[in-house]
């Protein structure tokens, strides 16, 4: 026996390490071969969460959930969102009034909003003529005269701060398969913009131009175009190197290519048409909101299916991260604290300048884009950090927490595998693998804007709360 033990150490040890990384690191420092298995105890080791998972693991309950989830993901993957127009929010968004401000994430009051969202709100109030300047806008926002409500509770989504006001032009997207409609506002392009919390005179001036020139021209162009198949365009964009959250180079080219002939046919002055084309050319992000509203339109079709544990919304307001789940009809939110975003910063900024994770744009990951589709866009790592291998690893790991793949939107590098679709709250809590989100970073103070981009994950608490709620329904 002794000789066999000696032989074991003389030949070298190959180790499989389960769980905590620092054991792996110690072995590597001593020249040992080690393979890391990323494992966490189910439910974070919390007895009440483990008990809830056990209740949902009952064979009869499992069968009902499986049937409900199959229907939910069928609706997501068979949805065909069509861009059918552009219009002012006051004219199309359910529940919108002149004194309504929609925001990103779960519900939040003015007093609890973070810097970026407060900056966007005050800028929007000046833009709408509800305040003369930013100081008055802050007083108006705190007065109770303004109705604040989540975009997602009005068939909308909003980037970053998500602020949407009555006069802003919206994408109008109709689901050809199921008939529901979704909305989002137009891209202001990048950096010093309202959705990032910037609100100086240049930001307000751009919003006026978008209301008076860009929006009407796009609306007139869509009157001529009739409708645009966004899912087909999205599939092409991923094959051209986008992940349709932070990287939109291909998608923007495809979208403006489709719109351009109809823009040229409108009766607006040539100089204004040129302004529109120059504006689109100023940033690749022009199509970013388009993919967000596509995802919203498809996921809304899957919301409200009794017994389904599929996530239909992930959204952040800079203070809380919230999810909605198909089997909890209506606007039931499960929340946890918003997390920091880790990634490269623009010159002159430090991590401590960053606000916490914010925006409805995680609707793209909820659908299977963004962080879930990074293998389609290895060039994204230049913006968010990491390596091309990391991008592939993110996409592969998301298959562990989803229900199916979407055959209509595929990733060439993964042998044209469909994007991972249908996040299952049970799988997230069981495995401890959290959805990966690629996103921008806004400054923590109002008035500054975007200062970087990177990777973040939701808080586990949101998914644990959802599992507990489902288990309570089963027990009842």
């Amino acid at each position: 026996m002794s000789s066999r033990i000696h032989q074991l150490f003389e030949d070298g040890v190959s180790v499989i390490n389960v769980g905590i990384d620092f054991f792996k690191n110690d072995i590597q420092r001593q020249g040992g071969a080690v393979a890391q298995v990323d494992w966490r105890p189910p439910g974070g080791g919390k007895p009440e969460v483990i008990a809830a998972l056990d209740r949902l693991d009952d064979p009869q309950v499992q069968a009902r959930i499986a049937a409900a989830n199959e229907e939910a993901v069928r609706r997501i993957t068979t949805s065909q969102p069509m861009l059918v127009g552009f219009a002012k929010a006051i004219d199309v968004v359910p529940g919108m009034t002149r004194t309504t401000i929609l925001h990103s994430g779960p519900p939040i009051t003015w007093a609890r909003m973070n810097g970026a969202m407060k900056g966007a709100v005050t800028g929007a109030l000046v833009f709408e003529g509800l305040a003369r300047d930013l100081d008055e806008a802050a007083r108006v926002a705190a007065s109770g005269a303004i109705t604040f409500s989540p975009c997602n509770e009005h068939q909308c989504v909003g980037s970053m701060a998500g602020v949407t006001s009555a006069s802003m032009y919206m994408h109008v997207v109709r689901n050809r398969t199921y008939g529901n409609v979704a909305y989002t506002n137009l891209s202001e392009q990048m950096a010093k913009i309202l959705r990032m919390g910037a609100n100086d005179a240049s930001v307000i001036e751009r919003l006026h131009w978008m209301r008076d020139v860009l929006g009407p021209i796009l609306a007139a162009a869509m009157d001529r175009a009739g409708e645009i198949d966004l899912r087909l365009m999205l599939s092409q964009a991923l094959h051209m190197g986008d992940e349709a959250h932070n990287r939109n180079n291909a998608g923007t080219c495809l979208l403006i290519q489709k719109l351009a002939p109809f823009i040229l046919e409108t009766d607006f002055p040539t100089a204004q048409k040129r302004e529109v084309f120059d504006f689109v050319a100023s940033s690749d992000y022009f199509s970013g909101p388009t993919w967000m509203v596509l995802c919203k339109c498809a996921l809304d079709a899957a919301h409200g299916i009794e017994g389904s544990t599929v996530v239909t919304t992930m959204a952040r307001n800079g203070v809380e991260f919230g999810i909605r789940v198909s089997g909890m009809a209506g606007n039931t939110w499960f929340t946890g604290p918003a997390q920091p975003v880790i990634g490269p910063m623009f010159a002159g900024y430090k991590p401590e300048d960053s606000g916490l994770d914010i925006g409805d744009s995680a609707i793209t990951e909820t659908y299977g884009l963004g962080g879930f589709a990074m293998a389609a866009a290895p060039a994204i790592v230049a913006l968010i950090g990491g390596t091309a291998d990391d991008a592939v690893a993110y996409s592969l790991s998301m298959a562990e927490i989803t229900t199916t793949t979407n055959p209509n939107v595929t990733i060439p590098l993964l042998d044209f595998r469909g994007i991972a679709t249908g996040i299952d709250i049970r799988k997230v809590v069981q495995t401890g693998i959290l959805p990966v989100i690629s996103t921008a970073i806004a400054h923590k103070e109002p008035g500054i804007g975007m200062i970087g981009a990177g990777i973040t994950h939701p808080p586990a608490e949101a998914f644990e709360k959802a599992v507990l709620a489902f288990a309570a329904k089963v027990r009842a």
Side-chain angles (χ1 to χ4, degrees):
M1 178 68 72
S2 176
S3 63
R4 292 176 63 186
I5 291 174
H6 284 300
Q7 182 181 358
L8 173 67
F9 285 98
E10 287 171 0
D11 292 345
V13 178
S14 296
V15 177
I16 298 174
N17 184 60
V18 179
I20 302 173
D21 276 354
F22 68 74
F23 291 128
K24 174 200 72 174
N25 298 337
D26 284 344
I27 294 167
Q28 287 178 329
R29 279 193 290 268
Q30 297 175 65
V34 57
Q36 176 68 20
V37 177
D38 187 10
W39 179 86
R40 300 170 182 83
K46 299 174 183 176
E48 70 278 14
V49 179
I50 295 172
L53 288 170
D54 287 343
R55 283 197 293 276
L56 297 178
D57 202 35
D58 175 85
Q60 290 185 340
V61 175
Q62 268 199 23
R64 292 197 298 270
I65 291 175
N69 285 351
E70 183 177 356
E71 174 62 15
V73 295
R74 186 187 70 81
R75 287 178 174 240
I76 295 169
T77 59
T78 58
S79 284
Q80 204 169 355
M82 311 293 292
L83 179 63
V84 296
F86 294 93
K88 286 184 179 180
I90 190 68
D91 296 326
V92 293
V93 173
M96 176 61 75
T97 72
R98 292 289 175 191
T99 55
T100 295
I101 297 287
L102 304 183
H103 61 76
S104 61
I108 193 168
T109 61
W110 166 257
R112 295 183 62 237
M113 290 179 185
N114 75 351
M117 188 173 287
K118 283 189 171 181
V121 167
T122 51
L125 293 176
V126 173
F127 163 64
E128 292 290 347
L130 297 171
R132 287 170 302 212
D133 55 37
L134 296 174
D135 289 338
E136 183 181 10
R139 292 192 293 272
V140 171
S143 70
I146 303 301
T147 300
F148 295 108
S149 190
C151 292
N152 270 288
E153 296 186 7
H154 296 260
Q155 299 171 219
C156 296
V157 281
S159 302
M160 298 302 288
V163 167
T164 300
S165 60
S167 299
M168 293 180 182
Y169 267 79
M170 311 292 285
H171 295 69
V172 181
V173 174
R174 179 173 293 111
N175 193 328
R176 177 184 282 178
T177 315
Y178 299 104
N180 60 294
V181 182
Y183 311 91
T184 195
N185 51 11
L186 300 174
S187 170
E188 304 163 75
Q189 303 301 68
M190 295 299 286
K192 194 176 184 181
I193 50 180
L194 191 78
R195 73 172 184 268
M196 299 284 183
N199 54 16
D200 67 14
S202 68
V203 173
I204 306 305
E205 181 181 359
R206 185 190 303 114
L207 291 173
H208 285 149
W209 176 82
M210 292 173 68
R211 178 195 64 195
D212 299 337
V213 178
L214 177 63
I217 288 179
L218 292 177
M222 280 306 301
D223 286 344
R224 289 162 171 77
E227 62 180 18
I228 295 173
D229 187 336
L230 294 181
R231 191 181 69 181
L232 176 60
M233 191 176 289
L234 171 68
S235 179
Q236 293 174 300
L238 262 66
H239 287 190
M240 295 166 67
D242 284 358
E243 39 79 83
H245 187 162
N246 273 325
R247 192 177 197 278
N248 295 286
N249 304 50
T252 290
C253 289
L254 292 168
L255 181 60
I256 196 61
Q257 179 186 58
K258 187 70 173 180
L259 289 170
F262 303 108
I263 291 173
L264 293 173
E265 289 176 1
T266 66
D267 297 328
F268 290 84
T270 299
Q272 290 187 340
K273 296 174 186 177
R274 175 61 186 264
E275 288 176 8
V276 169
F277 289 124
D278 286 344
F279 180 74
V280 173
S282 71
S283 168
D284 295 318
Y285 191 70
F286 179 71
S287 66
T290 311
W291 311 129
M292 287 174 55
V293 70
L294 172 154
C295 298
K296 172 67 172 172
C297 194
L299 288 158
D300 273 1
H303 192 66
I305 297 172
E306 179 67 28
S308 173
T309 55
V310 168
V311 177
T312 52
T313 305
M314 294 195 296
R316 317 87 95 202
N317 57 31
V319 177
E320 289 183 312
F321 192 114
I323 66 172
R324 298 192 304 172
V325 184
S326 176
M328 294 288 187
N331 295 314
T332 301
W333 291 90
F334 301 101
T335 63
Q339 302 296 298
V341 180
I342 308 301
M345 312 292 291
F346 294 168
Y349 295 105
K350 306 179 292 298
E352 52 265 37
D353 298 322
S354 304
L356 297 176
D357 187 28
I358 187 171
D360 289 337
S361 59
I363 197 74
T364 55
E365 277 82 7
T366 316
Y367 181 80
L369 303 175
F372 283 50
M374 269 199 277
I380 192 64
V381 299
L383 175 65
I384 63 172
T387 67
D389 286 343
D390 291 334
V392 173
Y394 283 132
S395 293
L396 292 174
S397 67
M398 292 302 96
E400 299 294 320
I401 59 171
T402 48
T403 306
T404 189
T405 58
N406 188 334
N408 303 299
V409 186
T410 60
I411 299 176
L413 190 60
L414 300 182
D415 198 22
F416 294 92
R417 177 193 298 184
I419 55 174
T421 298
I423 301 168
D424 187 334
I425 57 171
R426 298 172 304 165
K427 292 184 177 183
V428 173
V429 175
Q430 181 74 40
T431 64
I433 299 172
L434 295 168
V436 60
I437 297 167
S438 67
T439 189
I441 304 172
H443 199 283
K444 66 183 178 182
E445 300 296 338
I448 297 175
M450 182 178 175
I451 61 171
I455 292 293
T456 191
H457 301 273
E461 295 97 307
F463 295 88
E464 291 169 358
K465 289 176 182 177
V467 164
L468 289 169
F470 264 80
K473 285 182 67 175
V474 169
R475 184 170 52 192

